[in-house]
Short mmCIF file of all heavy atoms in Angstrom, two decimals:
data_model
loop_
_atom_site.label_atom_id
_atom_site.label_comp_id
_atom_site.label_asym_id
_atom_site.label_seq_id
_atom_site.Cartn_x
_atom_site.Cartn_y
_atom_site.Cartn_z
N MET G 191 -21.61 -32.33 -3.84
CA MET G 191 -21.85 -30.88 -3.65
C MET G 191 -22.68 -30.45 -4.89
O MET G 191 -22.30 -30.67 -6.03
CB MET G 191 -20.51 -30.13 -3.60
CG MET G 191 -20.67 -28.68 -3.36
SD MET G 191 -19.11 -27.78 -3.26
CE MET G 191 -18.41 -28.42 -1.75
N ASP G 192 -23.73 -29.75 -4.62
CA ASP G 192 -24.61 -29.30 -5.71
C ASP G 192 -24.04 -28.04 -6.33
O ASP G 192 -23.16 -27.37 -5.76
CB ASP G 192 -26.03 -29.19 -5.25
CG ASP G 192 -26.22 -27.98 -4.29
OD1 ASP G 192 -25.26 -27.68 -3.58
OD2 ASP G 192 -27.34 -27.47 -4.22
N THR G 193 -24.55 -27.67 -7.46
CA THR G 193 -24.09 -26.57 -8.21
C THR G 193 -24.20 -25.24 -7.46
O THR G 193 -23.29 -24.42 -7.48
CB THR G 193 -24.83 -26.47 -9.57
OG1 THR G 193 -24.71 -27.70 -10.26
CG2 THR G 193 -24.23 -25.38 -10.44
N GLU G 194 -25.39 -25.03 -6.84
CA GLU G 194 -25.60 -23.82 -6.11
C GLU G 194 -24.63 -23.53 -4.97
O GLU G 194 -24.09 -22.44 -4.82
CB GLU G 194 -27.06 -23.75 -5.57
CG GLU G 194 -27.52 -22.45 -5.00
CD GLU G 194 -27.58 -21.35 -6.05
OE1 GLU G 194 -27.92 -21.68 -7.25
OE2 GLU G 194 -27.33 -20.20 -5.73
N SER G 195 -24.35 -24.57 -4.19
CA SER G 195 -23.38 -24.41 -3.12
C SER G 195 -21.95 -24.21 -3.63
O SER G 195 -21.16 -23.47 -3.04
CB SER G 195 -23.44 -25.62 -2.16
OG SER G 195 -23.04 -26.79 -2.83
N ARG G 196 -21.63 -24.83 -4.74
CA ARG G 196 -20.35 -24.62 -5.38
C ARG G 196 -20.20 -23.18 -5.85
O ARG G 196 -19.10 -22.57 -5.66
CB ARG G 196 -20.18 -25.59 -6.50
CG ARG G 196 -18.82 -25.52 -7.21
CD ARG G 196 -17.69 -25.99 -6.32
NE ARG G 196 -16.40 -25.90 -7.06
CZ ARG G 196 -15.34 -25.38 -6.56
NH1 ARG G 196 -15.30 -24.99 -5.33
NH2 ARG G 196 -14.24 -25.31 -7.30
N ILE G 197 -21.21 -22.63 -6.46
CA ILE G 197 -21.24 -21.26 -6.90
C ILE G 197 -21.04 -20.32 -5.68
O ILE G 197 -20.27 -19.36 -5.77
CB ILE G 197 -22.52 -20.95 -7.70
CG1 ILE G 197 -22.48 -21.64 -9.04
CG2 ILE G 197 -22.63 -19.41 -7.84
CD1 ILE G 197 -23.82 -21.52 -9.81
N ASP G 198 -21.74 -20.57 -4.64
CA ASP G 198 -21.60 -19.73 -3.43
C ASP G 198 -20.19 -19.79 -2.85
O ASP G 198 -19.64 -18.76 -2.45
CB ASP G 198 -22.63 -20.19 -2.36
CG ASP G 198 -24.07 -19.88 -2.72
OD1 ASP G 198 -24.28 -19.05 -3.62
OD2 ASP G 198 -24.95 -20.51 -2.17
N GLU G 199 -19.63 -20.97 -2.90
CA GLU G 199 -18.24 -21.15 -2.39
C GLU G 199 -17.29 -20.40 -3.25
O GLU G 199 -16.35 -19.70 -2.76
CB GLU G 199 -17.89 -22.62 -2.40
CG GLU G 199 -16.51 -22.91 -1.88
CD GLU G 199 -16.20 -24.39 -1.95
OE1 GLU G 199 -17.07 -25.18 -1.51
OE2 GLU G 199 -15.09 -24.74 -2.36
N ILE G 200 -17.41 -20.44 -4.61
CA ILE G 200 -16.53 -19.72 -5.48
C ILE G 200 -16.70 -18.26 -5.34
O ILE G 200 -15.74 -17.45 -5.33
CB ILE G 200 -16.78 -20.18 -6.95
CG1 ILE G 200 -16.31 -21.65 -7.10
CG2 ILE G 200 -16.08 -19.30 -7.93
CD1 ILE G 200 -16.64 -22.26 -8.43
N GLU G 201 -17.96 -17.76 -5.19
CA GLU G 201 -18.18 -16.32 -4.97
C GLU G 201 -17.50 -15.83 -3.67
O GLU G 201 -16.94 -14.74 -3.67
CB GLU G 201 -19.68 -16.02 -4.92
CG GLU G 201 -20.35 -16.08 -6.31
CD GLU G 201 -21.85 -15.85 -6.24
OE1 GLU G 201 -22.45 -15.92 -5.09
OE2 GLU G 201 -22.39 -15.63 -7.30
N ALA G 202 -17.64 -16.65 -2.64
CA ALA G 202 -16.96 -16.21 -1.34
C ALA G 202 -15.47 -16.15 -1.51
O ALA G 202 -14.83 -15.24 -1.01
CB ALA G 202 -17.36 -17.20 -0.28
N GLU G 203 -14.91 -17.13 -2.23
CA GLU G 203 -13.46 -17.12 -2.43
C GLU G 203 -13.03 -15.97 -3.31
O GLU G 203 -12.03 -15.31 -3.07
CB GLU G 203 -13.07 -18.47 -3.16
CG GLU G 203 -11.65 -18.71 -3.27
CD GLU G 203 -11.34 -20.08 -3.85
OE1 GLU G 203 -12.06 -21.07 -3.51
OE2 GLU G 203 -10.39 -20.16 -4.68
N PHE G 204 -13.81 -15.67 -4.33
CA PHE G 204 -13.56 -14.51 -5.18
C PHE G 204 -13.57 -13.19 -4.40
O PHE G 204 -12.74 -12.34 -4.55
CB PHE G 204 -14.59 -14.46 -6.34
CG PHE G 204 -14.46 -13.25 -7.17
CD1 PHE G 204 -13.44 -13.06 -8.07
CD2 PHE G 204 -15.40 -12.22 -7.06
CE1 PHE G 204 -13.32 -11.94 -8.85
CE2 PHE G 204 -15.30 -11.06 -7.82
CZ PHE G 204 -14.25 -10.91 -8.73
N GLN G 205 -14.58 -13.05 -3.54
CA GLN G 205 -14.65 -11.82 -2.73
C GLN G 205 -13.50 -11.67 -1.78
O GLN G 205 -12.99 -10.57 -1.65
CB GLN G 205 -16.00 -11.87 -1.90
CG GLN G 205 -16.26 -10.63 -1.11
CD GLN G 205 -16.47 -9.44 -1.98
OE1 GLN G 205 -17.07 -9.52 -3.06
NE2 GLN G 205 -16.06 -8.23 -1.52
N GLU G 206 -13.05 -12.78 -1.26
CA GLU G 206 -11.84 -12.74 -0.35
C GLU G 206 -10.66 -12.33 -1.13
O GLU G 206 -9.87 -11.43 -0.69
CB GLU G 206 -11.68 -14.09 0.33
CG GLU G 206 -10.52 -14.14 1.28
CD GLU G 206 -10.37 -15.52 1.95
OE1 GLU G 206 -11.38 -16.21 2.12
OE2 GLU G 206 -9.19 -15.88 2.19
N THR G 207 -10.41 -12.87 -2.29
CA THR G 207 -9.31 -12.56 -3.11
C THR G 207 -9.37 -11.10 -3.57
O THR G 207 -8.35 -10.35 -3.56
CB THR G 207 -9.23 -13.50 -4.35
OG1 THR G 207 -9.16 -14.87 -3.87
CG2 THR G 207 -8.02 -13.19 -5.22
N ARG G 208 -10.56 -10.68 -3.93
CA ARG G 208 -10.75 -9.29 -4.36
C ARG G 208 -10.43 -8.29 -3.22
O ARG G 208 -9.76 -7.28 -3.47
CB ARG G 208 -12.25 -9.10 -4.78
CG ARG G 208 -12.55 -7.80 -5.29
CD ARG G 208 -13.97 -7.79 -5.79
NE ARG G 208 -14.49 -6.42 -5.76
CZ ARG G 208 -15.75 -6.06 -5.75
NH1 ARG G 208 -16.69 -7.00 -5.78
NH2 ARG G 208 -16.11 -4.82 -5.68
N ASP G 209 -10.81 -8.63 -2.01
CA ASP G 209 -10.50 -7.76 -0.86
C ASP G 209 -8.99 -7.67 -0.63
O ASP G 209 -8.48 -6.65 -0.30
CB ASP G 209 -11.25 -8.23 0.40
CG ASP G 209 -12.74 -8.02 0.30
OD1 ASP G 209 -13.20 -7.24 -0.55
OD2 ASP G 209 -13.50 -8.68 1.06
N GLU G 210 -8.33 -8.84 -0.71
CA GLU G 210 -6.89 -8.86 -0.53
C GLU G 210 -6.20 -8.05 -1.60
O GLU G 210 -5.24 -7.31 -1.29
CB GLU G 210 -6.39 -10.34 -0.55
CG GLU G 210 -6.81 -11.14 0.62
CD GLU G 210 -6.41 -12.62 0.47
OE1 GLU G 210 -5.69 -12.96 -0.49
OE2 GLU G 210 -6.83 -13.36 1.34
N LEU G 211 -6.63 -8.16 -2.83
CA LEU G 211 -5.99 -7.38 -3.92
C LEU G 211 -6.27 -5.89 -3.73
O LEU G 211 -5.38 -5.09 -4.00
CB LEU G 211 -6.56 -7.84 -5.26
CG LEU G 211 -6.05 -9.14 -5.78
CD1 LEU G 211 -6.79 -9.55 -7.04
CD2 LEU G 211 -4.55 -9.08 -6.07
N ARG G 212 -7.45 -5.54 -3.28
CA ARG G 212 -7.76 -4.13 -3.01
C ARG G 212 -6.81 -3.53 -1.96
O ARG G 212 -6.27 -2.44 -2.10
CB ARG G 212 -9.23 -3.99 -2.54
CG ARG G 212 -9.55 -2.52 -2.25
CD ARG G 212 -11.02 -2.39 -1.89
NE ARG G 212 -11.80 -2.48 -3.10
CZ ARG G 212 -13.01 -3.11 -3.21
NH1 ARG G 212 -13.49 -3.68 -2.19
NH2 ARG G 212 -13.67 -3.16 -4.33
N GLU G 213 -6.54 -4.33 -0.90
CA GLU G 213 -5.62 -3.84 0.13
C GLU G 213 -4.23 -3.69 -0.42
O GLU G 213 -3.54 -2.71 -0.08
CB GLU G 213 -5.59 -4.84 1.36
CG GLU G 213 -6.87 -4.75 2.20
CD GLU G 213 -7.10 -3.42 2.84
OE1 GLU G 213 -6.10 -2.83 3.35
OE2 GLU G 213 -8.24 -2.88 2.77
N ILE G 214 -3.77 -4.63 -1.19
CA ILE G 214 -2.43 -4.58 -1.78
C ILE G 214 -2.32 -3.34 -2.72
O ILE G 214 -1.33 -2.62 -2.65
CB ILE G 214 -2.15 -5.83 -2.60
CG1 ILE G 214 -1.95 -7.04 -1.67
CG2 ILE G 214 -0.90 -5.68 -3.48
CD1 ILE G 214 -1.93 -8.40 -2.36
N LEU G 215 -3.35 -3.10 -3.49
CA LEU G 215 -3.34 -1.89 -4.38
C LEU G 215 -3.37 -0.60 -3.62
O LEU G 215 -2.68 0.34 -3.94
CB LEU G 215 -4.50 -1.95 -5.38
CG LEU G 215 -4.41 -3.09 -6.41
CD1 LEU G 215 -5.67 -3.15 -7.27
CD2 LEU G 215 -3.22 -2.80 -7.34
N PHE G 216 -4.08 -0.56 -2.49
CA PHE G 216 -4.10 0.62 -1.67
C PHE G 216 -2.72 0.86 -1.08
O PHE G 216 -2.25 2.02 -0.96
CB PHE G 216 -5.14 0.55 -0.54
CG PHE G 216 -6.50 0.94 -0.99
CD1 PHE G 216 -7.58 0.13 -0.61
CD2 PHE G 216 -6.77 2.02 -1.74
CE1 PHE G 216 -8.90 0.44 -1.02
CE2 PHE G 216 -8.04 2.36 -2.13
CZ PHE G 216 -9.13 1.57 -1.74
N ASP G 217 -2.05 -0.23 -0.64
CA ASP G 217 -0.68 -0.10 -0.11
C ASP G 217 0.28 0.43 -1.13
O ASP G 217 1.10 1.26 -0.82
CB ASP G 217 -0.18 -1.45 0.43
CG ASP G 217 -0.90 -1.90 1.68
OD1 ASP G 217 -1.54 -1.06 2.37
OD2 ASP G 217 -0.83 -3.08 2.04
N ILE G 218 0.16 -0.11 -2.37
CA ILE G 218 1.02 0.33 -3.44
C ILE G 218 0.73 1.84 -3.78
O ILE G 218 1.68 2.62 -3.93
CB ILE G 218 0.80 -0.51 -4.73
CG1 ILE G 218 1.37 -1.92 -4.48
CG2 ILE G 218 1.47 0.13 -5.92
CD1 ILE G 218 0.99 -2.92 -5.58
N ARG G 219 -0.54 2.16 -3.75
CA ARG G 219 -0.87 3.59 -4.04
C ARG G 219 -0.31 4.49 -2.99
O ARG G 219 0.22 5.56 -3.29
CB ARG G 219 -2.42 3.69 -4.09
CG ARG G 219 -2.92 5.06 -4.34
CD ARG G 219 -4.43 5.11 -4.41
NE ARG G 219 -4.95 6.43 -4.53
CZ ARG G 219 -5.82 6.99 -3.77
NH1 ARG G 219 -6.35 6.27 -2.82
NH2 ARG G 219 -6.24 8.16 -3.98
N THR G 220 -0.45 4.09 -1.70
CA THR G 220 0.06 4.90 -0.61
C THR G 220 1.55 5.08 -0.76
O THR G 220 2.09 6.18 -0.57
CB THR G 220 -0.31 4.29 0.76
OG1 THR G 220 -1.74 4.21 0.82
CG2 THR G 220 0.20 5.13 1.89
N TYR G 221 2.26 3.98 -1.00
CA TYR G 221 3.70 4.03 -1.15
C TYR G 221 4.11 4.98 -2.25
O TYR G 221 4.98 5.83 -2.12
CB TYR G 221 4.21 2.62 -1.41
CG TYR G 221 5.68 2.60 -1.70
CD1 TYR G 221 6.64 2.67 -0.69
CD2 TYR G 221 6.18 2.55 -3.01
CE1 TYR G 221 8.00 2.70 -0.94
CE2 TYR G 221 7.54 2.54 -3.33
CZ TYR G 221 8.45 2.61 -2.28
OH TYR G 221 9.79 2.60 -2.56
N LEU G 222 3.45 4.89 -3.42
CA LEU G 222 3.78 5.72 -4.57
C LEU G 222 3.50 7.18 -4.25
O LEU G 222 4.27 8.09 -4.61
CB LEU G 222 3.06 5.27 -5.81
CG LEU G 222 3.50 4.00 -6.44
CD1 LEU G 222 2.64 3.54 -7.58
CD2 LEU G 222 4.98 4.09 -6.89
N MET G 223 2.36 7.46 -3.61
CA MET G 223 2.02 8.77 -3.31
C MET G 223 3.04 9.44 -2.37
O MET G 223 3.45 10.60 -2.49
CB MET G 223 0.62 8.90 -2.68
CG MET G 223 -0.49 8.67 -3.70
SD MET G 223 -2.08 8.61 -3.01
CE MET G 223 -2.31 10.33 -2.55
N GLU G 224 3.50 8.63 -1.36
CA GLU G 224 4.53 9.16 -0.46
C GLU G 224 5.89 9.39 -1.16
O GLU G 224 6.57 10.31 -0.87
CB GLU G 224 4.64 8.16 0.69
CG GLU G 224 3.47 8.21 1.70
CD GLU G 224 3.64 7.22 2.78
OE1 GLU G 224 4.64 6.40 2.82
OE2 GLU G 224 2.73 7.16 3.60
N ALA G 225 6.18 8.44 -2.07
CA ALA G 225 7.46 8.53 -2.74
C ALA G 225 7.48 9.71 -3.76
O ALA G 225 8.55 10.32 -3.97
CB ALA G 225 7.75 7.23 -3.43
N LEU G 226 6.39 10.04 -4.31
CA LEU G 226 6.34 11.06 -5.38
C LEU G 226 5.94 12.41 -4.92
O LEU G 226 5.98 13.40 -5.65
CB LEU G 226 5.37 10.60 -6.50
CG LEU G 226 5.73 9.28 -7.17
CD1 LEU G 226 4.63 8.89 -8.20
CD2 LEU G 226 7.09 9.41 -7.88
N THR G 227 5.57 12.59 -3.66
CA THR G 227 5.14 13.86 -3.18
C THR G 227 6.32 14.86 -3.12
O THR G 227 7.44 14.45 -2.75
CB THR G 227 4.50 13.70 -1.77
OG1 THR G 227 3.98 15.00 -1.38
CG2 THR G 227 5.49 13.21 -0.72
N PRO G 228 6.10 16.11 -3.42
CA PRO G 228 7.20 17.10 -3.31
C PRO G 228 7.41 17.49 -1.88
O PRO G 228 8.39 18.13 -1.59
CB PRO G 228 6.65 18.24 -4.14
CG PRO G 228 5.18 18.15 -4.13
CD PRO G 228 4.88 16.65 -4.08
N ILE G 229 6.51 17.13 -0.96
CA ILE G 229 6.62 17.48 0.42
C ILE G 229 7.45 16.39 1.08
O ILE G 229 7.03 15.19 1.09
CB ILE G 229 5.25 17.60 1.11
CG1 ILE G 229 4.45 18.64 0.40
CG2 ILE G 229 5.39 17.87 2.60
CD1 ILE G 229 2.97 18.66 0.81
N PRO G 230 8.58 16.71 1.69
CA PRO G 230 9.41 15.64 2.27
C PRO G 230 8.75 15.03 3.48
O PRO G 230 8.09 15.71 4.29
CB PRO G 230 10.70 16.40 2.68
CG PRO G 230 10.32 17.84 2.70
CD PRO G 230 9.17 18.04 1.83
N ASN G 231 8.86 13.69 3.62
CA ASN G 231 8.31 13.04 4.80
C ASN G 231 9.34 13.08 5.95
O ASN G 231 10.45 13.62 5.79
CB ASN G 231 7.86 11.63 4.47
CG ASN G 231 9.01 10.73 3.98
OD1 ASN G 231 10.17 10.98 4.33
ND2 ASN G 231 8.72 9.80 3.13
N ASP G 232 8.99 12.52 7.05
CA ASP G 232 9.85 12.58 8.21
C ASP G 232 11.25 11.92 7.98
O ASP G 232 12.28 12.46 8.40
CB ASP G 232 9.23 11.93 9.39
CG ASP G 232 8.01 12.66 9.90
OD1 ASP G 232 7.91 13.89 9.61
OD2 ASP G 232 7.11 12.11 10.58
N LEU G 233 11.23 10.85 7.24
CA LEU G 233 12.52 10.15 6.95
C LEU G 233 13.40 11.05 6.07
O LEU G 233 14.61 11.16 6.33
CB LEU G 233 12.21 8.78 6.29
CG LEU G 233 13.40 7.90 6.06
CD1 LEU G 233 14.08 7.55 7.38
CD2 LEU G 233 12.96 6.62 5.34
N ASP G 234 12.80 11.66 5.05
CA ASP G 234 13.59 12.55 4.20
C ASP G 234 14.10 13.73 4.96
O ASP G 234 15.22 14.17 4.77
CB ASP G 234 12.71 13.06 3.04
CG ASP G 234 12.42 11.97 2.05
OD1 ASP G 234 13.15 10.98 1.96
OD2 ASP G 234 11.43 12.11 1.32
N ARG G 235 13.28 14.28 5.87
CA ARG G 235 13.73 15.44 6.66
C ARG G 235 14.91 15.08 7.56
O ARG G 235 15.86 15.81 7.69
CB ARG G 235 12.58 15.92 7.55
CG ARG G 235 11.52 16.64 6.81
CD ARG G 235 10.45 17.17 7.73
NE ARG G 235 9.38 17.76 6.99
CZ ARG G 235 8.10 17.66 7.25
NH1 ARG G 235 7.76 17.06 8.41
NH2 ARG G 235 7.17 18.20 6.53
N GLU G 236 14.86 13.87 8.17
CA GLU G 236 15.97 13.50 9.02
C GLU G 236 17.22 13.31 8.20
O GLU G 236 18.28 13.70 8.63
CB GLU G 236 15.62 12.16 9.76
CG GLU G 236 16.65 11.74 10.74
CD GLU G 236 16.89 12.70 11.83
OE1 GLU G 236 15.98 13.43 12.26
OE2 GLU G 236 18.05 12.78 12.35
N LYS G 237 17.09 12.70 6.98
CA LYS G 237 18.24 12.50 6.09
C LYS G 237 18.86 13.90 5.72
O LYS G 237 20.06 14.02 5.73
CB LYS G 237 17.80 11.68 4.89
CG LYS G 237 18.91 11.39 3.96
CD LYS G 237 18.41 10.60 2.76
CE LYS G 237 19.48 10.39 1.72
NZ LYS G 237 18.97 9.74 0.50
N LEU G 238 18.01 14.77 5.33
CA LEU G 238 18.48 16.07 4.95
C LEU G 238 19.17 16.81 6.14
O LEU G 238 20.18 17.48 5.97
CB LEU G 238 17.33 16.97 4.42
CG LEU G 238 16.69 16.55 3.10
CD1 LEU G 238 15.44 17.38 2.81
CD2 LEU G 238 17.73 16.73 1.96
N ARG G 239 18.59 16.68 7.29
CA ARG G 239 19.15 17.32 8.51
C ARG G 239 20.56 16.71 8.72
O ARG G 239 21.52 17.47 9.06
CB ARG G 239 18.24 17.06 9.68
CG ARG G 239 18.69 17.79 10.98
CD ARG G 239 17.73 17.59 12.15
NE ARG G 239 16.41 18.16 11.80
CZ ARG G 239 15.31 17.48 11.75
NH1 ARG G 239 15.29 16.24 12.04
NH2 ARG G 239 14.17 18.11 11.49
N GLU G 240 20.69 15.42 8.63
CA GLU G 240 22.02 14.77 8.85
C GLU G 240 23.04 15.27 7.82
O GLU G 240 24.21 15.51 8.13
CB GLU G 240 21.86 13.28 8.84
CG GLU G 240 21.15 12.71 10.04
CD GLU G 240 20.93 11.21 9.93
OE1 GLU G 240 21.35 10.57 8.90
OE2 GLU G 240 20.32 10.63 10.83
N GLU G 241 22.62 15.39 6.55
CA GLU G 241 23.52 15.83 5.52
C GLU G 241 23.97 17.26 5.78
O GLU G 241 25.12 17.58 5.59
CB GLU G 241 22.79 15.74 4.10
CG GLU G 241 22.62 14.30 3.63
CD GLU G 241 21.90 14.26 2.31
OE1 GLU G 241 21.62 15.31 1.72
OE2 GLU G 241 21.56 13.13 1.89
N LEU G 242 23.07 18.13 6.22
CA LEU G 242 23.39 19.48 6.53
C LEU G 242 24.40 19.57 7.70
O LEU G 242 25.40 20.33 7.67
CB LEU G 242 22.17 20.33 6.82
CG LEU G 242 21.31 20.70 5.61
CD1 LEU G 242 20.04 21.37 6.11
CD2 LEU G 242 22.04 21.60 4.63
N GLU G 243 24.12 18.78 8.71
CA GLU G 243 25.04 18.75 9.85
C GLU G 243 26.44 18.26 9.50
O GLU G 243 27.44 18.75 9.99
CB GLU G 243 24.44 17.94 10.98
CG GLU G 243 23.24 18.59 11.63
CD GLU G 243 22.55 17.69 12.69
OE1 GLU G 243 23.04 16.56 12.92
OE2 GLU G 243 21.52 18.13 13.25
N THR G 244 26.45 17.28 8.61
CA THR G 244 27.79 16.75 8.14
C THR G 244 28.53 17.78 7.37
O THR G 244 29.77 17.91 7.55
CB THR G 244 27.54 15.47 7.28
OG1 THR G 244 26.78 14.53 8.04
CG2 THR G 244 28.85 14.84 6.85
N GLU G 245 27.86 18.53 6.50
CA GLU G 245 28.51 19.54 5.71
C GLU G 245 29.03 20.70 6.58
O GLU G 245 30.07 21.27 6.30
CB GLU G 245 27.55 20.07 4.66
CG GLU G 245 27.20 19.09 3.54
CD GLU G 245 26.17 19.61 2.59
OE1 GLU G 245 25.75 20.78 2.71
OE2 GLU G 245 25.77 18.83 1.73
N ARG G 246 28.31 21.00 7.60
CA ARG G 246 28.72 22.15 8.49
C ARG G 246 29.82 21.74 9.42
O ARG G 246 30.65 22.58 9.80
CB ARG G 246 27.50 22.58 9.37
CG ARG G 246 26.39 23.21 8.64
CD ARG G 246 25.32 23.61 9.53
NE ARG G 246 24.16 24.08 8.85
CZ ARG G 246 22.93 24.23 9.34
NH1 ARG G 246 22.72 23.95 10.60
NH2 ARG G 246 21.92 24.63 8.59
N GLY G 247 29.82 20.57 9.79
CA GLY G 247 30.69 20.17 10.91
C GLY G 247 31.92 19.49 10.76
O GLY G 247 32.86 19.49 11.43
#
């Protein structure tokens, strides 16, 4: 294998790894944004609704 083809192979592998890491970081970012938002999400709303019903009933 010549040097040029090896460099191309390594660049392609690097690009693939970079894309995978970017997706992982976006997932982490989305998770953190949802967890830290002051606006309750659907799961939080359902949990709050259940707690209120338990307290009333």
Side-chain angles (χ1 to χ4, degrees):
M191 185 179 291
D192 68 335
T193 305
E194 189 66 32
S195 63
R196 180 70 179 133
I197 290 172
D198 291 341
E199 181 181 315
I200 291 172
E201 285 178 346
E203 189 175 320
F204 173 74
Q205 183 65 34
E206 183 178 327
T207 303
R208 184 175 154 200
D209 292 343
E210 290 174 7
L211 286 172
R212 180 177 283 142
E213 287 298 317
I214 291 168
L215 290 173
F216 278 135
D217 290 344
I218 291 171
R219 178 178 177 234
T220 300
Y221 174 79
L222 289 174
M223 288 176 70
E224 288 176 357
L226 298 175
T227 184
I229 302 169
N231 61 28
D232 292 338
L233 187 58
D234 291 337
R235 286 184 187 142
E236 184 62 31
K237 183 180 173 186
L238 291 172
R239 186 177 296 120
E240 289 175 2
E241 288 176 7
L242 286 173
E243 289 176 1
T244 303
E245 290 175 4
R246 291 180 189 165

